Amino acid sequence: MKTIFITGGAGFIGSHVVRLFVNKYPDYNVVNLDVLTYAGNLENLTDIAHKSNYTFEKIDITDYEALKALFNKYLPDGVIHLAAESHVDRSITDPFVFVRTNVFGTCNLLHCAKELWKDNFAGKRFYHVSTDEVYGSLENDGTFFTEETKYQPHSPYSASKASSDHFVRAYHDTYGLPVVLSNCSNNYGSHHFPEKLIPLAINNIKNKKTVPVYGKGENVRDWLFVEDHVTAIDIIFHSGKDGETYNIGGNNEWKNIDLIRLLCSVMDRKLGRKDGMSAQLITFVIDRAGHDLRYAIDSSKLQNELGWKPSLQFEEGLEKTVEWYLANEKWVERVTSGEYQKYYEKQYNRR
Ligand code: NAD
Ligand code: DAU
């Protein structure tokens, strides 16, 4: 029986990772480490929470002593690290919490793993799930981020993730810690917190509220269905080479304004509205400070060396995502009202 720590397992991507690992690997003991910030929601995991190979531990990764106690209690063989502050706009208003969680939190985890595993690294693995934003921004010139692109983060969020990536590599190069990293583009899909562009727009369109588009909507993002990201994480965790980095992306670039127009027409169809009605909600607002123009990922290393490829066309994934949000109005309501934050106390009978 292998024990795997998954950090940030109550968040958007983390909950999909936990679900896949619990269901696909019944012989793994999956421990979800999450402090449940505003972005952590245990309701994301109600379908697997009862399973015998799943455990939840409420823990702040910035608390070294508490973390060390958990490492000594469970003796994990692997760590898949996703816990982070993840929203760029929040990093602009409060950078320090991003430094605490993303930099100090990652260092704490690395150090606990190193102390537990000492020099006996056989069969052990520390996997850092990171972002393409560490590479900075591309022009509209058809180039892509590769694993060799130099780091040039612009936002406090991407600077904190770049720093954590460097610490992960430093623990590999200095202490021999067996690490692997991936840098992924924008995810979308179910259970996405409605502060991010796609779920925010779905919720606003449904409620006939304005849809804020930053600047002129010319910024480009490379969108990947979350379950395709999780499949890549599974492959990289099990088959990636020690010390290596893999870029993950959908080869699916959209200008924000074009994406929002497409989403509006999908919503019109799903809600039985006249075509063009939802697009009237689009409102151009003041641009994000330091807004990166374009992200685009070259994932050929992952595709050629480890055999991964995305499974869904964007139109299909977007349709599935809209359907999930419309079928799960209660989830959205509880998240937007703050009710979801009481779930832990109720479910775990704790205060
Ligand atoms: P999220 O904000 O939805 O979830 C983050 C989770 O981490 C939450 O459950 C939260 O409670 C937990 N967390 C935050 N601070 C913590 C702390 N101090 N201690 C313990 N737990 C804490 O994030 P997400 O969008 O699912 O992203 C997950 C990871 O993937 C992040 O590391 C992010 O940088 C990376 N990533 C995200 C995307 C994307 O498009 N969302 C793309 C590439 C990489
Ligand atoms: O590229 C990977 C990154 O993608 C992840 O590392 C981050 O954790 C994740 O949040 C995401 O970052 P973005 O900043 O690209 O995502 P967001 O959904 O916030 O914004 C997507 C684009 O839409 C971006 O160009 C800003 C714009 N935007 C966003 C919001 C919330 C708007 O125009 N209006 C909005 O209301």
PDB file of all heavy atoms in Angstrom, residues 127 129-132 135 145 147 181-187 222 224 228-233 236 245-251 296-300 302 308 310:
ATOM      1  N   TYR A 127       6.145  15.821  -6.509  1.00  0.00           N
ATOM      2  CA  TYR A 127       5.671  16.380  -7.782  1.00  0.00           C
ATOM      3  C   TYR A 127       5.081  17.772  -7.542  1.00  0.00           C
ATOM      4  O   TYR A 127       4.121  17.912  -6.785  1.00  0.00           O
ATOM      5  CB  TYR A 127       4.623  15.432  -8.367  1.00  0.00           C
ATOM      6  CG  TYR A 127       3.991  15.858  -9.681  1.00  0.00           C
ATOM      7  CD1 TYR A 127       4.344  17.025 -10.367  1.00  0.00           C
ATOM      8  CD2 TYR A 127       3.017  15.054 -10.268  1.00  0.00           C
ATOM      9  CE1 TYR A 127       3.759  17.378 -11.567  1.00  0.00           C
ATOM     10  CE2 TYR A 127       2.421  15.391 -11.476  1.00  0.00           C
ATOM     11  CZ  TYR A 127       2.795  16.566 -12.111  1.00  0.00           C
ATOM     12  OH  TYR A 127       2.192  16.924 -13.298  1.00  0.00           O
ATOM     13  N   VAL A 129       2.984  20.804  -9.047  1.00  0.00           N
ATOM     14  CA  VAL A 129       2.066  21.185 -10.129  1.00  0.00           C
ATOM     15  C   VAL A 129       2.145  22.706 -10.289  1.00  0.00           C
ATOM     16  O   VAL A 129       1.718  23.445  -9.404  1.00  0.00           O
ATOM     17  CB  VAL A 129       0.628  20.728  -9.805  1.00  0.00           C
ATOM     18  CG1 VAL A 129      -0.343  21.221 -10.871  1.00  0.00           C
ATOM     19  CG2 VAL A 129       0.577  19.206  -9.668  1.00  0.00           C
ATOM     20  N   SER A 130       2.714  23.144 -11.403  1.00  0.00           N
ATOM     21  CA  SER A 130       2.926  24.579 -11.557  1.00  0.00           C
ATOM     22  C   SER A 130       2.250  25.109 -12.828  1.00  0.00           C
ATOM     23  O   SER A 130       1.473  24.412 -13.476  1.00  0.00           O
ATOM     24  CB  SER A 130       4.427  24.887 -11.528  1.00  0.00           C
ATOM     25  OG  SER A 130       4.635  26.278 -11.394  1.00  0.00           O
ATOM     26  N   THR A 131       2.583  26.357 -13.142  1.00  0.00           N
ATOM     27  CA  THR A 131       1.821  27.097 -14.148  1.00  0.00           C
ATOM     28  C   THR A 131       2.708  27.608 -15.288  1.00  0.00           C
ATOM     29  O   THR A 131       3.902  27.872 -15.085  1.00  0.00           O
ATOM     30  CB  THR A 131       1.141  28.296 -13.466  1.00  0.00           C
ATOM     31  OG1 THR A 131       0.542  29.122 -14.451  1.00  0.00           O
ATOM     32  CG2 THR A 131       2.130  29.154 -12.676  1.00  0.00           C
ATOM     33  N   ASP A 132       2.090  27.820 -16.443  1.00  0.00           N
ATOM     34  CA  ASP A 132       2.825  28.418 -17.567  1.00  0.00           C
ATOM     35  C   ASP A 132       3.125  29.901 -17.324  1.00  0.00           C
ATOM     36  O   ASP A 132       3.937  30.492 -18.039  1.00  0.00           O
ATOM     37  CB  ASP A 132       2.052  28.240 -18.889  1.00  0.00           C
ATOM     38  CG  ASP A 132       0.675  28.885 -18.893  1.00  0.00           C
ATOM     39  OD1 ASP A 132       0.244  29.411 -17.846  1.00  0.00           O
ATOM     40  OD2 ASP A 132       0.017  28.861 -19.956  1.00  0.00           O
ATOM     41  N   TYR A 135       6.634  31.690 -17.227  1.00  0.00           N
ATOM     42  CA  TYR A 135       7.407  32.051 -18.419  1.00  0.00           C
ATOM     43  C   TYR A 135       7.150  33.479 -18.881  1.00  0.00           C
ATOM     44  O   TYR A 135       7.787  33.944 -19.829  1.00  0.00           O
ATOM     45  CB  TYR A 135       7.067  31.109 -19.578  1.00  0.00           C
ATOM     46  CG  TYR A 135       7.384  29.639 -19.330  1.00  0.00           C
ATOM     47  CD1 TYR A 135       6.402  28.668 -19.455  1.00  0.00           C
ATOM     48  CD2 TYR A 135       8.681  29.241 -19.011  1.00  0.00           C
ATOM     49  CE1 TYR A 135       6.690  27.321 -19.266  1.00  0.00           C
ATOM     50  CE2 TYR A 135       8.977  27.897 -18.813  1.00  0.00           C
ATOM     51  CZ  TYR A 135       7.973  26.943 -18.939  1.00  0.00           C
ATOM     52  OH  TYR A 135       8.265  25.619 -18.757  1.00  0.00           O
ATOM     53  N   PHE A 145       5.655  28.616 -25.420  1.00  0.00           N
ATOM     54  CA  PHE A 145       6.508  28.336 -24.264  1.00  0.00           C
ATOM     55  C   PHE A 145       6.975  26.887 -24.378  1.00  0.00           C
ATOM     56  O   PHE A 145       6.158  25.972 -24.555  1.00  0.00           O
ATOM     57  CB  PHE A 145       5.734  28.428 -22.939  1.00  0.00           C
ATOM     58  CG  PHE A 145       5.210  29.801 -22.583  1.00  0.00           C
ATOM     59  CD1 PHE A 145       3.925  29.944 -22.073  1.00  0.00           C
ATOM     60  CD2 PHE A 145       6.000  30.934 -22.695  1.00  0.00           C
ATOM     61  CE1 PHE A 145       3.433  31.191 -21.702  1.00  0.00           C
ATOM     62  CE2 PHE A 145       5.523  32.182 -22.324  1.00  0.00           C
ATOM     63  CZ  PHE A 145       4.224  32.313 -21.830  1.00  0.00           C
ATOM     64  N   GLU A 147       9.913  23.979 -22.463  1.00  0.00           N
ATOM     65  CA  GLU A 147      10.540  23.750 -21.154  1.00  0.00           C
ATOM     66  C   GLU A 147      11.831  24.566 -21.028  1.00  0.00           C
ATOM     67  O   GLU A 147      12.333  24.753 -19.922  1.00  0.00           O
ATOM     68  CB  GLU A 147      10.826  22.265 -20.930  1.00  0.00           C
ATOM     69  CG  GLU A 147       9.586  21.410 -20.697  1.00  0.00           C
ATOM     70  CD  GLU A 147       8.844  21.024 -21.970  1.00  0.00           C
ATOM     71  OE1 GLU A 147       9.293  21.403 -23.077  1.00  0.00           O
ATOM     72  OE2 GLU A 147       7.799  20.342 -21.849  1.00  0.00           O
ATOM     73  N   LEU A 181       8.298  18.190 -12.182  1.00  0.00           N
ATOM     74  CA  LEU A 181       7.457  19.401 -12.237  1.00  0.00           C
ATOM     75  C   LEU A 181       6.648  19.410 -13.525  1.00  0.00           C
ATOM     76  O   LEU A 181       7.069  18.837 -14.540  1.00  0.00           O
ATOM     77  CB  LEU A 181       8.301  20.678 -12.249  1.00  0.00           C
ATOM     78  CG  LEU A 181       9.217  20.996 -11.090  1.00  0.00           C
ATOM     79  CD1 LEU A 181      10.609  20.423 -11.328  1.00  0.00           C
ATOM     80  CD2 LEU A 181       9.326  22.508 -10.897  1.00  0.00           C
ATOM     81  N   SER A 182       5.508  20.113 -13.483  1.00  0.00           N
ATOM     82  CA  SER A 182       4.808  20.406 -14.732  1.00  0.00           C
ATOM     83  C   SER A 182       4.304  21.832 -14.697  1.00  0.00           C
ATOM     84  O   SER A 182       4.003  22.378 -13.636  1.00  0.00           O
ATOM     85  CB  SER A 182       3.659  19.421 -14.968  1.00  0.00           C
ATOM     86  OG  SER A 182       2.718  19.484 -13.928  1.00  0.00           O
ATOM     87  N   ASN A 183       4.266  22.448 -15.879  1.00  0.00           N
ATOM     88  CA  ASN A 183       3.782  23.820 -16.012  1.00  0.00           C
ATOM     89  C   ASN A 183       2.642  23.803 -17.017  1.00  0.00           C
ATOM     90  O   ASN A 183       2.849  23.508 -18.198  1.00  0.00           O
ATOM     91  CB  ASN A 183       4.913  24.738 -16.503  1.00  0.00           C
ATOM     92  CG  ASN A 183       6.018  24.833 -15.464  1.00  0.00           C
ATOM     93  OD1 ASN A 183       6.889  23.968 -15.395  1.00  0.00           O
ATOM     94  ND2 ASN A 183       5.970  25.842 -14.631  1.00  0.00           N
ATOM     95  N   CYS A 184       1.456  24.095 -16.512  1.00  0.00           N
ATOM     96  CA  CYS A 184       0.247  23.920 -17.332  1.00  0.00           C
ATOM     97  C   CYS A 184      -0.417  25.254 -17.666  1.00  0.00           C
ATOM     98  O   CYS A 184      -0.287  26.237 -16.930  1.00  0.00           O
ATOM     99  CB  CYS A 184      -0.739  23.022 -16.577  1.00  0.00           C
ATOM    100  SG  CYS A 184      -2.187  22.570 -17.557  1.00  0.00           S
ATOM    101  N   SER A 185      -1.153  25.254 -18.757  1.00  0.00           N
ATOM    102  CA  SER A 185      -1.903  26.437 -19.186  1.00  0.00           C
ATOM    103  C   SER A 185      -3.251  26.506 -18.458  1.00  0.00           C
ATOM    104  O   SER A 185      -3.528  25.702 -17.573  1.00  0.00           O
ATOM    105  CB  SER A 185      -2.112  26.370 -20.695  1.00  0.00           C
ATOM    106  OG  SER A 185      -2.885  25.228 -20.996  1.00  0.00           O
ATOM    107  N   ASN A 186      -4.109  27.433 -18.879  1.00  0.00           N
ATOM    108  CA  ASN A 186      -5.407  27.673 -18.202  1.00  0.00           C
ATOM    109  C   ASN A 186      -6.327  26.457 -18.259  1.00  0.00           C
ATOM    110  O   ASN A 186      -6.614  25.955 -19.349  1.00  0.00           O
ATOM    111  CB  ASN A 186      -6.143  28.829 -18.885  1.00  0.00           C
ATOM    112  CG  ASN A 186      -5.540  30.155 -18.547  1.00  0.00           C
ATOM    113  OD1 ASN A 186      -4.395  30.419 -18.893  1.00  0.00           O
ATOM    114  ND2 ASN A 186      -6.302  31.005 -17.879  1.00  0.00           N
ATOM    115  N   ASN A 187      -6.791  26.038 -17.091  1.00  0.00           N
ATOM    116  CA  ASN A 187      -7.746  24.932 -17.003  1.00  0.00           C
ATOM    117  C   ASN A 187      -9.171  25.462 -16.974  1.00  0.00           C
ATOM    118  O   ASN A 187      -9.413  26.578 -16.515  1.00  0.00           O
ATOM    119  CB  ASN A 187      -7.542  24.157 -15.710  1.00  0.00           C
ATOM    120  CG  ASN A 187      -6.306  23.272 -15.712  1.00  0.00           C
ATOM    121  OD1 ASN A 187      -6.304  22.213 -15.109  1.00  0.00           O
ATOM    122  ND2 ASN A 187      -5.249  23.675 -16.385  1.00  0.00           N
ATOM    123  N   ASP A 222      -4.476  29.730 -23.446  1.00  0.00           N
ATOM    124  CA  ASP A 222      -4.455  28.403 -24.080  1.00  0.00           C
ATOM    125  C   ASP A 222      -5.227  27.474 -23.132  1.00  0.00           C
ATOM    126  O   ASP A 222      -4.712  27.103 -22.079  1.00  0.00           O
ATOM    127  CB  ASP A 222      -2.974  27.984 -24.232  1.00  0.00           C
ATOM    128  CG  ASP A 222      -2.781  26.594 -24.791  1.00  0.00           C
ATOM    129  OD1 ASP A 222      -3.765  25.877 -25.023  1.00  0.00           O
ATOM    130  OD2 ASP A 222      -1.610  26.212 -24.986  1.00  0.00           O
ATOM    131  N   LEU A 224      -7.294  24.312 -21.439  1.00  0.00           N
ATOM    132  CA  LEU A 224      -7.229  22.839 -21.355  1.00  0.00           C
ATOM    133  C   LEU A 224      -8.311  22.342 -20.390  1.00  0.00           C
ATOM    134  O   LEU A 224      -8.450  22.861 -19.270  1.00  0.00           O
ATOM    135  CB  LEU A 224      -5.844  22.419 -20.823  1.00  0.00           C
ATOM    136  CG  LEU A 224      -5.616  20.914 -20.673  1.00  0.00           C
ATOM    137  CD1 LEU A 224      -5.556  20.234 -22.039  1.00  0.00           C
ATOM    138  CD2 LEU A 224      -4.327  20.627 -19.900  1.00  0.00           C
ATOM    139  N   ASP A 228      -8.188  16.543 -18.651  1.00  0.00           N
ATOM    140  CA  ASP A 228      -6.995  16.252 -19.463  1.00  0.00           C
ATOM    141  C   ASP A 228      -5.726  16.637 -18.694  1.00  0.00           C
ATOM    142  O   ASP A 228      -4.701  15.962 -18.807  1.00  0.00           O
ATOM    143  CB  ASP A 228      -7.062  17.002 -20.800  1.00  0.00           C
ATOM    144  CG  ASP A 228      -7.964  16.282 -21.798  1.00  0.00           C
ATOM    145  OD1 ASP A 228      -8.043  15.040 -21.743  1.00  0.00           O
ATOM    146  OD2 ASP A 228      -8.598  16.960 -22.621  1.00  0.00           O
ATOM    147  N   HIS A 229      -5.797  17.716 -17.901  1.00  0.00           N
ATOM    148  CA  HIS A 229      -4.652  18.081 -17.054  1.00  0.00           C
ATOM    149  C   HIS A 229      -4.389  16.960 -16.042  1.00  0.00           C
ATOM    150  O   HIS A 229      -3.245  16.545 -15.816  1.00  0.00           O
ATOM    151  CB  HIS A 229      -4.951  19.414 -16.337  1.00  0.00           C
ATOM    152  CG  HIS A 229      -3.809  19.948 -15.523  1.00  0.00           C
ATOM    153  ND1 HIS A 229      -3.930  21.017 -14.678  1.00  0.00           N
ATOM    154  CD2 HIS A 229      -2.506  19.546 -15.408  1.00  0.00           C
ATOM    155  CE1 HIS A 229      -2.759  21.264 -14.090  1.00  0.00           C
ATOM    156  NE2 HIS A 229      -1.884  20.374 -14.508  1.00  0.00           N
ATOM    157  N   VAL A 230      -5.460  16.448 -15.475  1.00  0.00           N
ATOM    158  CA  VAL A 230      -5.322  15.426 -14.424  1.00  0.00           C
ATOM    159  C   VAL A 230      -4.747  14.124 -15.003  1.00  0.00           C
ATOM    160  O   VAL A 230      -3.939  13.450 -14.358  1.00  0.00           O
ATOM    161  CB  VAL A 230      -6.685  15.229 -13.729  1.00  0.00           C
ATOM    162  CG1 VAL A 230      -6.670  14.036 -12.802  1.00  0.00           C
ATOM    163  CG2 VAL A 230      -7.053  16.497 -12.958  1.00  0.00           C
ATOM    164  N   THR A 231      -5.151  13.786 -16.216  1.00  0.00           N
ATOM    165  CA  THR A 231      -4.575  12.603 -16.875  1.00  0.00           C
ATOM    166  C   THR A 231      -3.069  12.805 -17.041  1.00  0.00           C
ATOM    167  O   THR A 231      -2.267  11.889 -16.815  1.00  0.00           O
ATOM    168  CB  THR A 231      -5.208  12.413 -18.277  1.00  0.00           C
ATOM    169  OG1 THR A 231      -6.603  12.404 -18.113  1.00  0.00           O
ATOM    170  CG2 THR A 231      -4.763  11.131 -18.932  1.00  0.00           C
ATOM    171  N   ALA A 232      -2.676  14.032 -17.409  1.00  0.00           N
ATOM    172  CA  ALA A 232      -1.238  14.325 -17.569  1.00  0.00           C
ATOM    173  C   ALA A 232      -0.525  14.201 -16.221  1.00  0.00           C
ATOM    174  O   ALA A 232       0.581  13.635 -16.141  1.00  0.00           O
ATOM    175  CB  ALA A 232      -1.063  15.735 -18.144  1.00  0.00           C
ATOM    176  N   ILE A 233      -1.151  14.688 -15.155  1.00  0.00           N
ATOM    177  CA  ILE A 233      -0.539  14.614 -13.817  1.00  0.00           C
ATOM    178  C   ILE A 233      -0.311  13.149 -13.420  1.00  0.00           C
ATOM    179  O   ILE A 233       0.752  12.770 -12.907  1.00  0.00           O
ATOM    180  CB  ILE A 233      -1.426  15.352 -12.775  1.00  0.00           C
ATOM    181  CG1 ILE A 233      -1.373  16.873 -13.026  1.00  0.00           C
ATOM    182  CG2 ILE A 233      -0.996  15.012 -11.346  1.00  0.00           C
ATOM    183  CD1 ILE A 233      -2.326  17.703 -12.175  1.00  0.00           C
ATOM    184  N   ILE A 236       2.635  11.847 -15.506  1.00  0.00           N
ATOM    185  CA  ILE A 236       3.925  12.432 -15.102  1.00  0.00           C
ATOM    186  C   ILE A 236       4.339  11.906 -13.727  1.00  0.00           C
ATOM    187  O   ILE A 236       5.505  11.575 -13.493  1.00  0.00           O
ATOM    188  CB  ILE A 236       3.843  13.979 -15.107  1.00  0.00           C
ATOM    189  CG1 ILE A 236       3.666  14.489 -16.537  1.00  0.00           C
ATOM    190  CG2 ILE A 236       5.086  14.602 -14.466  1.00  0.00           C
ATOM    191  CD1 ILE A 236       3.243  15.949 -16.650  1.00  0.00           C
ATOM    192  N   THR A 245      11.004  18.611 -16.153  1.00  0.00           N
ATOM    193  CA  THR A 245       9.817  19.461 -16.224  1.00  0.00           C
ATOM    194  C   THR A 245       9.050  19.139 -17.497  1.00  0.00           C
ATOM    195  O   THR A 245       9.668  18.907 -18.540  1.00  0.00           O
ATOM    196  CB  THR A 245      10.253  20.945 -16.302  1.00  0.00           C
ATOM    197  OG1 THR A 245      10.913  21.270 -15.096  1.00  0.00           O
ATOM    198  CG2 THR A 245       9.070  21.871 -16.515  1.00  0.00           C
ATOM    199  N   TYR A 246       7.736  19.117 -17.401  1.00  0.00           N
ATOM    200  CA  TYR A 246       6.893  18.862 -18.577  1.00  0.00           C
ATOM    201  C   TYR A 246       5.869  19.983 -18.721  1.00  0.00           C
ATOM    202  O   TYR A 246       5.160  20.301 -17.758  1.00  0.00           O
ATOM    203  CB  TYR A 246       6.159  17.512 -18.424  1.00  0.00           C
ATOM    204  CG  TYR A 246       7.117  16.353 -18.329  1.00  0.00           C
ATOM    205  CD1 TYR A 246       7.639  15.952 -17.082  1.00  0.00           C
ATOM    206  CD2 TYR A 246       7.538  15.678 -19.470  1.00  0.00           C
ATOM    207  CE1 TYR A 246       8.548  14.903 -16.987  1.00  0.00           C
ATOM    208  CE2 TYR A 246       8.449  14.617 -19.375  1.00  0.00           C
ATOM    209  CZ  TYR A 246       8.943  14.238 -18.137  1.00  0.00           C
ATOM    210  OH  TYR A 246       9.843  13.209 -18.046  1.00  0.00           O
ATOM    211  N   ASN A 247       5.799  20.575 -19.904  1.00  0.00           N
ATOM    212  CA  ASN A 247       4.758  21.559 -20.188  1.00  0.00           C
ATOM    213  C   ASN A 247       3.470  20.844 -20.592  1.00  0.00           C
ATOM    214  O   ASN A 247       3.512  19.869 -21.355  1.00  0.00           O
ATOM    215  CB  ASN A 247       5.179  22.475 -21.343  1.00  0.00           C
ATOM    216  CG  ASN A 247       6.094  23.594 -20.875  1.00  0.00           C
ATOM    217  OD1 ASN A 247       6.349  23.730 -19.681  1.00  0.00           O
ATOM    218  ND2 ASN A 247       6.573  24.389 -21.808  1.00  0.00           N
ATOM    219  N   ILE A 248       2.343  21.366 -20.096  1.00  0.00           N
ATOM    220  CA  ILE A 248       1.035  20.771 -20.425  1.00  0.00           C
ATOM    221  C   ILE A 248       0.132  21.871 -20.989  1.00  0.00           C
ATOM    222  O   ILE A 248      -0.018  22.928 -20.354  1.00  0.00           O
ATOM    223  CB  ILE A 248       0.341  20.182 -19.162  1.00  0.00           C
ATOM    224  CG1 ILE A 248       1.305  19.342 -18.319  1.00  0.00           C
ATOM    225  CG2 ILE A 248      -0.883  19.369 -19.551  1.00  0.00           C
ATOM    226  CD1 ILE A 248       0.718  18.882 -16.979  1.00  0.00           C
ATOM    227  N   GLY A 249      -0.446  21.620 -22.159  1.00  0.00           N
ATOM    228  CA  GLY A 249      -1.338  22.621 -22.740  1.00  0.00           C
ATOM    229  C   GLY A 249      -2.259  22.010 -23.766  1.00  0.00           C
ATOM    230  O   GLY A 249      -2.030  20.898 -24.243  1.00  0.00           O
ATOM    231  N   GLY A 250      -3.304  22.760 -24.105  1.00  0.00           N
ATOM    232  CA  GLY A 250      -4.338  22.215 -24.981  1.00  0.00           C
ATOM    233  C   GLY A 250      -4.147  22.532 -26.450  1.00  0.00           C
ATOM    234  O   GLY A 250      -4.940  22.098 -27.282  1.00  0.00           O
ATOM    235  N   ASN A 251      -3.096  23.313 -26.795  1.00  0.00           N
ATOM    236  CA  ASN A 251      -2.935  23.796 -28.163  1.00  0.00           C
ATOM    237  C   ASN A 251      -4.253  24.419 -28.625  1.00  0.00           C
ATOM    238  O   ASN A 251      -4.788  24.104 -29.686  1.00  0.00           O
ATOM    239  CB  ASN A 251      -2.518  22.641 -29.077  1.00  0.00           C
ATOM    240  CG  ASN A 251      -1.792  23.151 -30.305  1.00  0.00           C
ATOM    241  OD1 ASN A 251      -1.504  24.348 -30.396  1.00  0.00           O
ATOM    242  ND2 ASN A 251      -1.526  22.284 -31.258  1.00  0.00           N
ATOM    243  N   ALA A 296       0.851  30.393 -24.625  1.00  0.00           N
ATOM    244  CA  ALA A 296       0.654  29.269 -25.551  1.00  0.00           C
ATOM    245  C   ALA A 296       1.724  28.229 -25.251  1.00  0.00           C
ATOM    246  O   ALA A 296       2.904  28.556 -25.151  1.00  0.00           O
ATOM    247  CB  ALA A 296       0.762  29.737 -27.001  1.00  0.00           C
ATOM    248  N   ILE A 297       1.296  27.000 -25.102  1.00  0.00           N
ATOM    249  CA  ILE A 297       2.184  25.935 -24.627  1.00  0.00           C
ATOM    250  C   ILE A 297       2.576  24.978 -25.748  1.00  0.00           C
ATOM    251  O   ILE A 297       1.711  24.546 -26.516  1.00  0.00           O
ATOM    252  CB  ILE A 297       1.447  25.129 -23.521  1.00  0.00           C
ATOM    253  CG1 ILE A 297       1.475  25.873 -22.194  1.00  0.00           C
ATOM    254  CG2 ILE A 297       1.976  23.746 -23.374  1.00  0.00           C
ATOM    255  CD1 ILE A 297       2.718  25.679 -21.388  1.00  0.00           C
ATOM    256  N   ASP A 298       3.854  24.642 -25.794  1.00  0.00           N
ATOM    257  CA  ASP A 298       4.317  23.541 -26.632  1.00  0.00           C
ATOM    258  C   ASP A 298       4.440  22.319 -25.709  1.00  0.00           C
ATOM    259  O   ASP A 298       5.330  22.273 -24.865  1.00  0.00           O
ATOM    260  CB  ASP A 298       5.679  23.910 -27.237  1.00  0.00           C
ATOM    261  CG  ASP A 298       6.292  22.758 -28.031  1.00  0.00           C
ATOM    262  OD1 ASP A 298       5.753  21.632 -27.973  1.00  0.00           O
ATOM    263  OD2 ASP A 298       7.326  22.984 -28.691  1.00  0.00           O
ATOM    264  N   SER A 299       3.528  21.363 -25.866  1.00  0.00           N
ATOM    265  CA  SER A 299       3.561  20.191 -24.967  1.00  0.00           C
ATOM    266  C   SER A 299       4.137  18.966 -25.674  1.00  0.00           C
ATOM    267  O   SER A 299       3.852  17.827 -25.289  1.00  0.00           O
ATOM    268  CB  SER A 299       2.157  19.891 -24.425  1.00  0.00           C
ATOM    269  OG  SER A 299       1.286  19.582 -25.482  1.00  0.00           O
ATOM    270  N   SER A 300       4.976  19.186 -26.714  1.00  0.00           N
ATOM    271  CA  SER A 300       5.449  18.026 -27.493  1.00  0.00           C
ATOM    272  C   SER A 300       6.344  17.087 -26.673  1.00  0.00           C
ATOM    273  O   SER A 300       6.340  15.881 -26.906  1.00  0.00           O
ATOM    274  CB  SER A 300       6.137  18.463 -28.789  1.00  0.00           C
ATOM    275  OG  SER A 300       7.107  19.431 -28.521  1.00  0.00           O
ATOM    276  N   LEU A 302       5.944  16.195 -23.511  1.00  0.00           N
ATOM    277  CA  LEU A 302       5.022  15.290 -22.797  1.00  0.00           C
ATOM    278  C   LEU A 302       4.352  14.317 -23.772  1.00  0.00           C
ATOM    279  O   LEU A 302       4.186  13.125 -23.472  1.00  0.00           O
ATOM    280  CB  LEU A 302       3.978  16.146 -22.065  1.00  0.00           C
ATOM    281  CG  LEU A 302       2.846  15.433 -21.344  1.00  0.00           C
ATOM    282  CD1 LEU A 302       3.375  14.527 -20.249  1.00  0.00           C
ATOM    283  CD2 LEU A 302       1.872  16.454 -20.733  1.00  0.00           C
ATOM    284  N   TRP A 308       1.133  11.398 -23.706  1.00  0.00           N
ATOM    285  CA  TRP A 308      -0.127  12.079 -23.345  1.00  0.00           C
ATOM    286  C   TRP A 308      -0.654  12.881 -24.507  1.00  0.00           C
ATOM    287  O   TRP A 308       0.120  13.409 -25.307  1.00  0.00           O
ATOM    288  CB  TRP A 308       0.135  13.025 -22.163  1.00  0.00           C
ATOM    289  CG  TRP A 308      -1.037  13.929 -21.823  1.00  0.00           C
ATOM    290  CD1 TRP A 308      -2.087  13.625 -21.011  1.00  0.00           C
ATOM    291  CD2 TRP A 308      -1.262  15.279 -22.286  1.00  0.00           C
ATOM    292  NE1 TRP A 308      -2.955  14.697 -20.934  1.00  0.00           N
ATOM    293  CE2 TRP A 308      -2.475  15.723 -21.716  1.00  0.00           C
ATOM    294  CE3 TRP A 308      -0.572  16.147 -23.141  1.00  0.00           C
ATOM    295  CZ2 TRP A 308      -3.002  16.996 -21.946  1.00  0.00           C
ATOM    296  CZ3 TRP A 308      -1.090  17.418 -23.387  1.00  0.00           C
ATOM    297  CH2 TRP A 308      -2.294  17.832 -22.794  1.00  0.00           C
ATOM    298  N   PRO A 310      -4.348  15.660 -25.220  1.00  0.00           N
ATOM    299  CA  PRO A 310      -5.665  16.078 -24.742  1.00  0.00           C
ATOM    300  C   PRO A 310      -6.767  15.312 -25.466  1.00  0.00           C
ATOM    301  O   PRO A 310      -6.625  14.988 -26.642  1.00  0.00           O
ATOM    302  CB  PRO A 310      -5.724  17.574 -25.056  1.00  0.00           C
ATOM    303  CG  PRO A 310      -4.592  17.869 -25.971  1.00  0.00           C
ATOM    304  CD  PRO A 310      -3.626  16.737 -25.903  1.00  0.00           C
TER     305      PRO A 310
END
